[in-house]
């Protein structure tokens, strides 16, 4: 009887050991929190905005997916406001190749934007002849930043530091380059980055 009991105990021990070997003792390692927070490329432009002083929202992904985009936070009363000229020229010249400038007015930096969207729209049209897409006034930094700009900051590691900060988004929906306010939209490095993005195949 003792022999039989011992044999049963040995078999139970072996079965438990095999089961333990088949199942991992620790859960699979998780990606770092920063990587988990980083938005997927396909989600980066999955946002809706009203056109400036408009009512019907535009879905960025459906409207501009597969295009090369230069996203700029604009302001009407900034020392960099004359960049509107180069932005409009870029948009007009390269739009036929699948390029677009997207402007997002913001008063986050020194309150250098008009309060009303009608006033912003009239200023952009009458002063600089802006025809590229301009969207509703938004916050682009801090806790009040809209999800689109939080995603851009997370994907690039660079939130806007001032007005006319520029994010270049490739056809694949990923941030291809970032340029600060002092870099003109038609600077050689910006033009070169846009050409590389335009040359890339659509996903």
């Amino acid at each position: 009887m003792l022999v039989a009991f011992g044999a049963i105990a040995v078999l139970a021990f072996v079965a438990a050991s095999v089961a333990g070997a088949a199942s991992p003792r620790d859960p699979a390692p998780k990606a770092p929190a920063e990587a988990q927070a980083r938005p997927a490329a396909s989600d980066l432009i999955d946002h809706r905005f009203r056109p400036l002083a408009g009512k019907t929202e535009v879905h960025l992904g459906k409207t501009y997916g597969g295009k090369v985009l230069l996203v700029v936070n604009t302001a009407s009363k900034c020392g960099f406001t004359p960049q509107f000229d180069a932005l409009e020229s870029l948009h007009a010249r390269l739009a036929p190749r699948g390029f677009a400038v997207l402007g997002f007015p913001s008063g986050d930096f020194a309150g250098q934007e008009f309060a009303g969207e009608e006033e912003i729209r009239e200023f952009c049209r009458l002063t600089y002849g802006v025809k590229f897409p301009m969207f509703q006034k938004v916050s682009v930094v801090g806790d009040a930043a809209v999800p689109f700009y939080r995603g851009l900051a997370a994907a690039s590691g660079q939130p806007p530091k001032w007005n006319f900060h520029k994010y270049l988004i490739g056809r694949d929906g990923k941030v291809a380059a970032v340029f600060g306010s002092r870099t003109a939209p038609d600077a050689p490095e910006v033009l070169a980055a846009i050409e590389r993005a335009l040359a890339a195949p659509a996903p």
Side-chain angles (χ1 to χ4, degrees):
M1 184 70 83
L2 289 175
V3 174
F5 179 79
I8 292 172
V10 169
L11 288 173
F13 175 78
V14 171
S17 299
V18 171
S23 302
R25 295 182 179 180
D26 299 316
K30 294 182 178 180
E34 181 180 351
Q36 291 180 18
R38 190 178 297 276
S42 59
D43 296 334
L44 195 57
I45 58 174
D46 184 20
H47 297 284
R48 297 175 181 271
F49 292 96
R50 290 183 295 100
L52 186 60
K55 296 181 179 180
T56 304
E57 290 184 331
V58 173
H59 188 281
L60 299 186
K62 292 180 180 178
T63 307
Y64 300 103
K67 294 187 176 183
V68 174
L69 307 175
L70 190 66
V71 178
V72 188
N73 59 300
T74 65
S76 302
K77 298 178 284 184
C78 177
F80 298 113
T81 302
Q83 290 188 11
F84 271 126
D85 279 334
L87 290 169
E88 176 58 32
S89 178
L90 269 181
H91 179 81
R93 180 165 58 89
L94 298 178
R97 297 174 58 192
F99 172 82
V101 173
L102 306 184
F104 290 85
S106 177
D108 284 355
F109 301 103
Q112 294 182 336
E113 186 54 280
F114 295 115
E117 291 188 3
E118 289 281 358
E119 194 173 9
I120 298 170
R121 183 174 65 178
E122 290 305 303
F123 172 83
C124 292
R125 287 181 177 178
L126 297 178
T127 309
Y128 291 100
V130 170
K131 295 180 181 177
F132 64 80
M134 293 282 291
F135 294 94
Q136 67 194 72
K137 186 179 179 182
V138 298
S139 288
V140 300
V141 291
D143 294 338
V146 294
F148 180 42
Y149 263 87
R150 290 203 298 269
L152 289 170
S156 66
Q158 298 185 45
K161 296 180 179 179
W162 198 251
N163 305 309
F164 291 88
H165 191 86
K166 307 161 193 73
Y167 294 100
L168 181 66
I169 300 177
R171 296 186 189 276
D172 59 359
K174 297 180 181 179
V175 175
V178 183
F179 302 98
S181 307
R182 295 183 180 277
T183 304
D186 54 359
E189 59 268 36
V190 179
L191 296 179
I194 292 174
E195 286 296 333
R196 285 194 298 270
L198 286 172

